[in-house]
Amino acid sequence: MIAKKQTFSRVRIALDGCSFDECRFEHCHFVFNGYMGVMLTGCSFEACSWEFAGPAANTITFMTALYGGGSQELIEATLRKIRG
């Protein structure tokens, strides 16, 4: 899906392979599997929920295990890099 300057309300959106430019999302539920990239540029989000599934969920689980297993600094450094 490629969308530009659209409003989405109360829908479930599978993000993999999608591109959204200057879109507005209201009460949407997003699912990211991690099979393909996603572009979210200049979008706004109101009361949306996020779900990580498939490989993306595996990555979150792995990072959680690293954090709990004594590699807190690795995960904190990763988060600092994400924040820029």
Side-chain angles (χ1 to χ4, degrees):
M1 172 187 293
I2 298 173
K4 185 173 178 83
K5 296 184 180 183
Q6 294 183 32
T7 297
F8 297 86
S9 184
R10 301 185 186 280
V11 293
R12 182 180 191 276
I13 300 172
L15 290 170
D16 290 52
C18 293
S19 176
F20 297 96
D21 186 30
E22 298 180 34
C23 291
R24 177 172 172 75
F25 300 96
E26 304 165 343
H27 303 275
C28 293
H29 180 78
F30 296 100
V31 179
F32 179 63
N33 286 288
Y35 292 113
M36 298 187 327
V38 178
M39 296 290 293
L40 296 166
T41 308
C43 296
S44 64
F45 306 90
E46 179 186 321
C48 294
S49 60
W50 301 81
E51 176 184 344
F52 297 94
N58 292 341
T59 300
I60 298 294
T61 300
F62 178 61
M63 291 176 72
T64 301
L66 284 174
Y67 192 88
S71 296
Q72 292 89 357
E73 183 50 39
L74 170 64
I75 301 305
E76 294 298 336
T78 302
L79 294 173
R80 282 192 297 276
K81 186 175 181 179
I82 290 168
R83 291 182 191 113

